[in-house]
Amino acid sequence: MVKGKTLFLLVLCLWISLEVMGRKEPSSPTSVNSIVSSRPKVVKFGALFPVDSVIGRSALPAILAAVKDVNSSTSILPGIDLQVILHSTNCSAFLGTMEALQLMENDVVAVVGPLSSGIAHIISHVVNELHVPLLSFGATDPTLSSLQYPYFIRTTQNDYFQMYAVSAFINYHRWREVIAIYVDDDNGRNGISVLGDALSKKRAKISYKAAFSPGASESDISDLLNEVNLMESRVYVLHVNPDTGLSIFSIAKKLRMMSSGYVWISTDWLPSVLDSLESPDPGTMDLLQGIVAFRHHIPDTDLKKNLLSRLKSQRVKETVSFNSYAFYAYDSVWLAARALDAYLNEGGNISFSNDPKLQDTNGSMLHLSSLRTFDGGPQFLQTVLGMNFTGVSGQIEFDMDKNLLHPAYEILNIDGSGSRRIGYWSNHSGLSVIAPETLYLKKPSNTSLLRNQQLYSVIWPGEVTATPRGWVFPNNGQPLRIAVPNRVSYKDFVSKDKNPPGVQGYCIDVFEAAIKLLPYPVPRKYMLFGNGKRNPSYNDLVEQVAQNNFDAVVGDVTIVTNRTRILDFTQPFLPSGLVIVVPFEEQKSSPWSFLQPFTTEMWCVTGAFFLFVGSVVWILEHRLNPEFRGSPRKQLITVFWFSFSTMFFSHRENTVSGLGRLVLIIWLFVVLIINSSYTASLTSILTVQQLSSQIEGIDSLISSTKPIGIQDGSFARKYLVDDLHIAESRIVTLKNMEDYIDALQRGPNAGGVVAVVDELPYIEVLMSSCHCKFRIVGQEFTKSGWGFAFQRDSPLAVDLSTAILQLSESGDLQRIHDKWLNKKECTTFEVDSNKLALTSFWGLFLICGIAFFIALIIFFARIFCQYNKFIPESEKTDEEIQPVRRSRRPSRTPSLKKLMVFVDKREAEVKEILRENKKRRHSQSLDDHSVPSAI
């Protein structure tokens, strides 16, 4: 069978050569001769790719099998013999172009191939002119999808999606810089360009593009790898051709670049090579240990299994196994056959015409006139693009950009015995351990995408399971250039030192402690920035790092918005913010300080309630309690005494009525709250120290017109002028702490400043050094912190942030702070009113007042009930008792005087009178009944 297949190929190639040599040139290059057939017996299509290549050896048997299957099908192209005309490009762009021109002389309706993106670019111009669809199962260059090539149809996956899959994998492991190693051809350049775009969306980048020529020698590749090995990144993306890719790993192995700490990510070329080998030798697999590779995801269907079984049973000597491109090649033939069948069923004709523009002039021997245009090409093209069927490679359907729908890749981890799948990527669901065809049934959402972004663990080069850091310090002898501000004030934070490393201070100790926590050495060199006569401009210092004059800044650098746009900062190691500091002096308390806790309104309402409570209790207790009776003068004194003695809970009068006790309990609760509030407020007023400045906070600072002091080199000037719109003429630059003290003590009227605006850490040192002669007023009006600054996308910023958090959690950060900055603390003075207003207590007074009125209503209701019973009997005389006057009832309307007299009576006396009246009425009733009986 193998010999028969080889013989078939030799005969086929010989037939192609004879066919080309035997073709006769038309008699006139300008004539338009057409070969027309409504339903031809034979239809030819071309196959153009290098047969003797990794992909070609897999694709050729698949194409021949597809032709055989089409011709044996009774539903597709019935009665038509589909023939393939094969031309090998021999991996040469020039020969490939010439082979393509020769292929077009055979009046083919479609071309399957090529594999090379470079050849595809050239041939696409030819097929555009001849209206012949070019079905490429191997040209993955993303730029081939442009509108420039309407007749180019990619029947494999676009490298655009593969590069986004690689970008997702890099982002999954949080690497921020990679090095791209690629062949400098159309496919390599354009694919890596897309990778750069994809990484930029993830805040990552290609730090270096290491390109080599298609025919580069081993020494050239070795020099290139030596160059990238000296660089920072240890994540390499290898995008090369399948036929030469393995040699790169052999060279990298010799350079010890396949050991732990390195990351190698291969595009689909490597699985294509391995899948083409029936059983890779152990040496090759050992060479590739730890590499991560991407392979086209082809669902494991029955169609795929049947085709593989047939191909392996018929395979030729050169092809021992098959990669994914074999399936795409098989489906490409079926795509052309199905589209042609639909085209013919729709009434299309297969006709070719000479193009007047293709003429041989000036005795040219190119035979351009032998190239004919497919008349039905435009219609056939639309039929091809509209196809929708299930092939062995999956769903064959094109989107608006002529790309196959549902691009997906398998992510493989290669070890010594083979490869294992660690996950998938698709443009539908991103990274996942679930097969894409399962996830296609679910509607994608941002939440589900984030939740499903997971992969199985990877065994990296050197058989390491921990994810490599992905970078090292460049192995070129250059230490990290660290800029340190050469300060002339507040040297506890950072300053020049005679001893190594040449600098010292709180910031330096924090940085050194964080560096020691990193799992790798950091060669570094501290470089002072500034002339030492005045503090340097920190904005200029930040600009120097952004311009690559320094690698980092270590010092008291505040994290502000405009700096974060050009640099990366670590986690803040010291909180900071702008504050206002003013001078103060202790003043003696006023003789009337005891009145300050309450506002005037509060005093008036409180006093009124004291009198009101005394009156209410007197009313409720007067008839029952002898302590609330006596002469008018005594009763008035009792009311006042009882009212104000409740303030100290020292009232000596007892309450005996239920309503009186209820009122007193509620009032004592109110008095308790008022007393506590008064005591707290008075304590605050008597103990607070009085400021000698009129500045009470940021609002009064802005409204003032007096000068304001700031530190030399601070960002406070820009903030005050640009954000708070304070006149720049008010800003006074102070060079050191002595200038601060002098300017504040002299004040604005003597050439000083009314206040100083600076960051909290500096102010705390200032106040501690001058024995708390100054005070902070108001709150911090900016919230920021100090951090270490690095160039954009520096991985050190992330690692040091983690180290700073570890220092904070372990307490080492506080110990370093105490070593340098453990000074006397001064109280922050917040200027505000300590007086308590009625608005804080009106609810309490309201409840109290309502309770009092309810008690009075109940009391007077009882009084009127007793009075109604008491008046009729008390107003009767002896004459009124006689029967003559019995028919006439006296008036029940009481006078105010009589009511007051009744109210003033004691409760016991009233009850006694009521009992006697009741007995009298009872005896009178008995007398009235005895008189008639006697008569």
Side-chain angles (χ1 to χ4, degrees), residues 63-98:
I63 291 176
L64 297 177
V67 173
K68 180 179 179 181
D69 292 343
V70 170
N71 288 331
S72 62
S73 174
T74 59
S75 59
I76 303 298
L77 297 179
I80 298 178
D81 183 23
L82 183 66
Q83 296 181 358
V84 58
I85 300 178
L86 176 66
H87 280 242
S88 178
T89 59
N90 296 321
C91 299
S92 169
F94 174 75
L95 293 178
T97 303
M98 300 307 298

Side-chain angles (χ1 to χ4, degrees), residues 805-816:
L805 290 176
Q806 293 176 355
L807 289 175
S808 177
E809 293 171 356
S810 65
D812 291 338
L813 193 61
Q814 184 61 43
R815 282 189 284 272
I816 297 173

Side-chain angles (χ1 to χ4, degrees), residues 219-235:
S219 61
D220 293 337
I221 296 175
S222 179
D223 293 341
L224 182 66
L225 294 181
N226 269 317
E227 182 181 358
V228 301
N229 198 29
L230 296 176
M231 298 180 181
E232 183 178 279
S233 178
R234 282 292 183 265
V235 182

Side-chain angles (χ1 to χ4, degrees), residues 306-596:
N306 292 336
L307 178 61
L308 271 178
S309 177
R310 289 163 48 205
L311 292 177
K312 289 182 178 180
S313 64
Q314 307 175 25
R315 63 190 182 191
V316 295
K317 182 178 180 181
E318 292 80 4
T319 306
V320 294
S321 189
F322 301 90
N323 53 44
S324 60
Y325 288 97
F327 305 115
Y328 289 118
Y330 182 87
D331 285 342
S332 298
V333 176
W334 271 102
L335 173 64
R338 288 176 179 272
L340 184 60
D341 183 66
Y343 170 74
L344 294 175
N345 291 336
E346 293 172 358
N349 293 324
I350 298 179
S351 61
F352 297 86
S353 302
N354 289 335
D355 190 345
K357 294 181 292 183
L358 299 177
Q359 301 179 12
D360 297 309
T361 58
N362 299 326
S364 173
M365 301 297 293
L366 293 178
H367 304 291
L368 295 178
S369 57
S370 62
L371 301 177
R372 294 179 175 83
T373 302
F374 181 20
D375 295 332
Q379 180 183 352
F380 182 53
L381 174 65
Q382 297 305 316
T383 304
V384 172
L385 294 176
M387 285 290 100
N388 183 1
F389 67 96
T390 300
V392 294
S393 62
Q395 188 68 21
I396 305 299
E397 184 180 1
F398 299 95
D399 60 16
M400 297 298 294
D401 296 322
K402 299 187 300 182
N403 293 316
L404 289 176
L405 294 180
H406 304 314
Y409 290 86
E410 298 176 2
I411 306 175
L412 307 178
N413 183 207
I414 301 173
D415 54 29
S417 59
S419 62
R420 63 186 182 92
R421 185 171 54 237
I422 60 174
Y424 303 89
W425 179 92
S426 72
N427 67 336
H428 174 85
S429 56
L431 298 175
S432 176
V433 295
I434 304 174
E437 53 268 22
T438 303
L439 298 176
Y440 290 150
L441 304 176
K442 302 178 181 179
K443 185 178 181 180
S445 64
N446 293 333
T447 304
S448 62
L449 284 177
L450 293 175
R451 185 172 57 250
N452 291 328
Q453 299 300 295
Q454 54 182 333
L455 298 171
Y456 293 120
S457 60
V458 179
I459 300 177
W460 305 98
E463 297 185 356
V464 176
T465 56
T467 302
R469 188 171 66 251
W471 65 277
V472 294
F473 283 95
N475 190 19
N476 53 14
Q478 296 295 328
L480 200 68
R481 301 166 299 170
I482 302 177
V484 177
N486 191 9
R487 297 190 58 87
V488 298
S489 61
Y490 300 108
K491 294 187 176 182
D492 288 342
F493 293 107
V494 61
S495 63
K496 182 179 179 180
D497 188 23
K498 296 180 180 180
N499 301 320
V503 288
Q504 65 175 357
Y506 167 73
C507 300
I508 301 300
D509 282 5
V510 172
F511 182 76
E512 289 290 334
I515 286 293
K516 291 178 181 179
L517 294 178
L518 299 182
Y520 49 87
V522 180
R524 55 198 178 277
K525 178 182 180 182
Y526 294 104
M527 306 170 69
L528 291 171
F529 181 81
N531 55 19
K533 298 180 180 179
R534 58 182 297 180
N535 292 336
S537 170
Y538 281 65
N539 287 333
D540 293 344
L541 178 56
V542 168
E543 288 289 343
Q544 291 294 316
V545 178
Q547 295 172 7
N548 198 29
N549 294 324
F550 298 104
D551 297 314
V553 178
V554 172
D556 48 343
V557 182
T558 307
I559 304 173
V560 293
T561 304
N562 64 321
R563 294 174 183 171
T564 58
R565 294 191 180 104
I566 57 177
L567 296 181
D568 282 348
F569 282 85
T570 63
Q571 170 83 13
F573 60 86
L574 184 66
S576 179
L578 290 178
V579 295
I580 302 172
V581 62
V582 297
F584 85 101
E585 60 183 11
E586 294 187 6
Q587 298 178 355
K588 294 183 179 180
S589 300
S590 169
W592 303 100
S593 296
F594 69 92
L595 295 176
Q596 294 181 8

Side-chain angles (χ1 to χ4, degrees), residues 133-286:
L134 185 64
L135 311 180
S136 177
F137 60 90
T140 57
D141 180 3
T143 61
L144 286 169
S145 296
S146 65
L147 298 177
Q148 185 181 6
Y149 309 113
Y151 281 85
F152 176 85
I153 302 174
R154 195 192 323 267
T155 57
T156 186
Q157 299 296 346
N158 191 336
D159 266 351
Y160 174 90
F161 301 107
Q162 180 172 209
M163 294 307 168
Y164 270 82
V166 173
S167 171
F169 181 81
I170 293 171
N171 181 68
Y172 178 83
H173 291 92
R174 301 183 183 278
W175 296 314
R176 288 292 171 258
E177 291 187 8
V178 302
I179 293 177
I181 304 174
Y182 61 98
V183 179
D184 193 12
D185 57 10
D186 291 328
N187 186 60
R189 282 191 306 272
N190 296 329
I192 295 302
S193 176
V194 173
L195 176 62
D197 295 339
L199 289 174
S200 65
K201 296 180 181 180
K202 307 287 188 180
R203 283 205 65 187
K205 67 177 182 179
I206 299 176
S207 60
Y208 184 71
K209 295 181 179 180
F212 58 90
S213 62
S217 63
E218 287 192 5
S219 61
D220 293 337
I221 296 175
S222 179
D223 293 341
L224 182 66
L225 294 181
N226 269 317
E227 182 181 358
V228 301
N229 198 29
L230 296 176
M231 298 180 181
E232 183 178 279
S233 178
R234 282 292 183 265
V235 182
Y236 304 133
V237 178
L238 190 59
H239 187 50
V240 296
N241 297 323
D243 299 280
T244 58
L246 289 179
S247 61
I248 296 176
F249 290 120
S250 300
I251 299 172
K253 183 77 170 181
K254 296 177 182 177
L255 298 176
R256 299 182 179 179
M257 296 176 65
M258 302 295 293
S259 57
S260 61
Y262 289 87
V263 177
W264 288 89
I265 302 173
S266 169
T267 53
D268 65 285
W269 69 266
L270 181 56
S272 298
V273 174
L274 297 180
D275 291 343
S276 300
L277 303 175
E278 186 172 19
S279 56
D281 63 276
T284 300
M285 300 310 297
D286 183 64

